[in-house]
């Protein structure tokens, strides 16, 4: 693939969307041809799946939840990510396969080897060149989300702790790809850290 693939990961309320949007604007201003996406979402089918996954009224078992995230991913990879990378564009994506490993694997107990196998199928083997994991203590993150709780956010504190710990384990296992950036009070300071990480690469 000619283009670079940058993903953002983090637990609830870590400011991932704000930071990834800021990075997108920064890269665009520097003249890069950049595509910005969020997961699950980015294309019609994946946005529809997102609606089902996040609706607090949906009844979804862990197996179906895992497969739905993968289906949403497969479609956005095929329609947007793969062609953009092949054309040499930079792709910035708010969440990707690491989210499934953290939330459904570490969080819900779905077999991680199985998630990786399904992930390889859904992504056609496309992997991020850089993943920024925005780290914030779980309680601090959930405080930002009190008013609008979706089906996943509603899960108990211990679930979200497992997700964060899972991310930290992933970062330890793949330190060259997954870079941990501590979330600071000042969003501009956090953004500067992210840019430092990016520039170093
Ligand atoms: P967002 O809040 O970052 O937009 O992400 C939507 C929710 O979906 C969030 O609670 C994390 C969750 N999620 C998973 O559980 N597994 C996944 O594979 C992805 C991409 C997201």
């Amino acid at each position: 693939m000619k283009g670079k693939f940058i993903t953002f990961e983090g637990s609830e309320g870590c400011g991932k969307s704000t930071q990834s949007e800021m990075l997108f604007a920064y890269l665009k201003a520097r003249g890069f041809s950049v595509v910005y996406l969020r997961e699950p979402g980015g294309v019609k089918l994946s946005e529809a799946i997102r609606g089902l996954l996040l609706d607090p009224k949906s009844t979804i078992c862990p197996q179906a939840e895992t497969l739905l995230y993968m289906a949403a991913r497969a479609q956005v990879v095929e329609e947007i990510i793969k062609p953009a990378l092949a054309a040499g564009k930079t792709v910035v994506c708010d969440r990707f396969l690491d989210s499934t490993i953290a939330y459904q694997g570490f969080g819900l107990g779905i077999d991680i080897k199985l998630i990786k196998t399904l992930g390889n199928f859904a992504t056609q083997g496309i992997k991020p060149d850089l993943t920024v994991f925005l780290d914030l203590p779980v309680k601090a993150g959930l405080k930002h989300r009190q008013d609008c709780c979706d089906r996943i956010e509603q899960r108990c504190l211990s679930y979200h702790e497992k997700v964060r710990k899972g991310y930290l384990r992933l970062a330890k296992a793949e330190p060259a790809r997954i870079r941990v950036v501590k979330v600071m009070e000042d969003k501009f300071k956090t953004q500067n850290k992210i840019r430092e990480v990016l520039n170093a690469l």
Side-chain angles (χ1 to χ4, degrees):
M1 286 294 175
K2 287 194 284 175
K4 291 285 175 217
F5 187 24
I6 303 164
T7 60
F8 278 76
E9 295 287 351
S11 36
E12 306 301 326
C14 67
K16 191 176 37 53
S17 305
T18 306
Q19 293 298 336
S20 54
E21 277 167 23
M22 284 168 87
L23 189 77
F24 167 60
Y26 167 74
L27 290 172
K28 244 175 68 172
R30 290 194 57 187
F32 287 92
S33 178
V34 200
V35 173
Y36 179 76
L37 297 159
R38 70 168 177 186
E39 258 233 275
V43 291
K44 200 171 168 198
L45 176 69
S46 313
E47 288 290 338
I49 294 173
R50 179 187 180 90
L52 290 171
L53 279 164
L54 300 188
D55 184 349
K57 294 194 288 293
S58 294
T59 301
I60 308 177
C61 69
Q63 292 83 348
E65 182 175 304
T66 304
L67 293 170
L68 284 169
Y69 278 113
M70 289 298 181
R73 181 162 304 130
Q75 194 64 31
V76 76
V77 163
E78 175 64 20
E79 273 192 56
I80 309 273
I81 298 176
K82 192 178 161 193
L85 292 174
K89 293 180 184 166
T90 300
V91 176
V92 175
C93 195
D94 180 345
R95 297 197 183 279
F96 201 59
L97 180 59
D98 296 308
S99 282
T100 314
I101 300 176
Y103 280 79
Q104 283 67 49
F106 288 102
L108 290 182
I110 299 285
D111 181 60
I112 288 171
K113 242 174 94 188
L114 172 66
I115 293 179
K116 287 184 177 168
T117 304
L118 291 170
N120 200 38
F121 174 64
T123 63
Q124 302 182 42
I126 292 174
K127 291 195 174 76
D129 296 291
L130 170 72
T131 297
V132 176
F133 169 58
L134 290 172
D135 190 32
L136 182 69
V138 168
K139 273 190 188 157
L142 288 175
K143 243 196 293 180
H144 298 154
R145 290 285 168 104
Q146 262 161 8
D147 317 330
C148 49
C149 263
D150 64 39
R151 198 178 61 85
I152 307 283
E153 285 163 353
Q154 279 179 356
R155 289 181 178 156
C156 62
L157 192 66
S158 67
Y159 170 80
H160 292 288
E161 293 284 5
K162 280 191 232 168
V163 170
R164 181 184 178 212
K165 283 196 187 125
Y167 271 129
L168 290 169
R169 277 180 64 175
L170 288 179
K172 219 170 163 187
E174 277 189 80
R177 174 176 71 86
I178 308 180
R179 311 298 292 266
V180 181
V181 173
K182 292 236 175 282
V183 175
M184 285 170 273
E185 196 74 43
D186 180 345
K187 67 177 180 187
F188 296 103
K189 282 193 183 155
T190 309
Q191 179 65 198
N192 284 340
K193 271 271 163 230
I194 295 169
R195 289 179 194 177
E196 271 173 33
V197 166
L198 197 71
N199 291 335
L201 289 174

